[in-house]
Amino acid sequence: MIAGGCGALCRYFVNERITKGFPTSFPLGTYVVNISGSFAAGLVTGMVLYGWEIMPPVAAAVLLKGFLGGYTTFSTWMVQAVDQLRAKDLAGVFLNLLGSVLTGGLAALAGIWLIRFL
């Protein structure tokens, strides 16, 4: 619970920093949060899969499910996609949904591969 709260606070600060630094109609803050969270989840997963014993399994679970679960956000991503639909920004919706799924998956794989080859 504490890890999830800390992740949510980090999400808020990263999202605010990105949104203010790069104003755009695209939900760039949420995109950056979700992609960076996917990469971090890939790193932790890779550490577990490839036997890096730098943290106990319970710590990896707290980091993945607690902190990164609180850091990344499915619900905000979906609400922003609906807002784009309501604004008739179909290209933005497509880019947001498909782009986030593809890049998020690739970011997670990159994290796992990075650990594998270190």
Side-chain angles (χ1 to χ4, degrees):
M1 180 173 65
I2 293 169
C6 290
L9 282 173
C10 286
R11 173 183 68 224
Y12 171 79
F13 288 119
V14 169
N15 184 49
E16 285 296 304
R17 186 65 72 138
I18 296 293
T19 301
K20 288 180 182 172
F22 304 94
T24 176
S25 62
F26 185 78
L28 187 60
T30 302
Y31 180 82
V32 168
V33 162
N34 286 338
I35 302 312
S36 62
S38 295
F39 179 71
L43 290 174
V44 175
T45 300
M47 288 179 203
V48 171
L49 286 175
Y50 297 108
W52 286 34
E53 296 179 7
I54 61 173
M55 69 179 93
V58 70
V62 167
L63 188 57
L64 276 171
K65 297 174 184 177
F67 182 82
L68 291 172
Y71 177 69
T72 57
T73 175
F74 183 81
S75 56
T76 300
W77 176 48
M78 289 298 105
V79 167
Q80 289 170 334
V82 169
D83 287 344
Q84 288 176 301
L85 271 174
R86 289 176 53 215
K88 296 181 177 38
D89 180 10
L90 299 180
V93 171
F94 181 77
L95 181 64
N96 186 10
L97 295 180
L98 186 61
S100 292
V101 169
L102 289 176
T103 354
L106 289 173
L109 277 173
I112 292 170
W113 286 343
L114 180 63
I115 295 301
R116 180 179 181 190
F117 294 112
L118 283 180

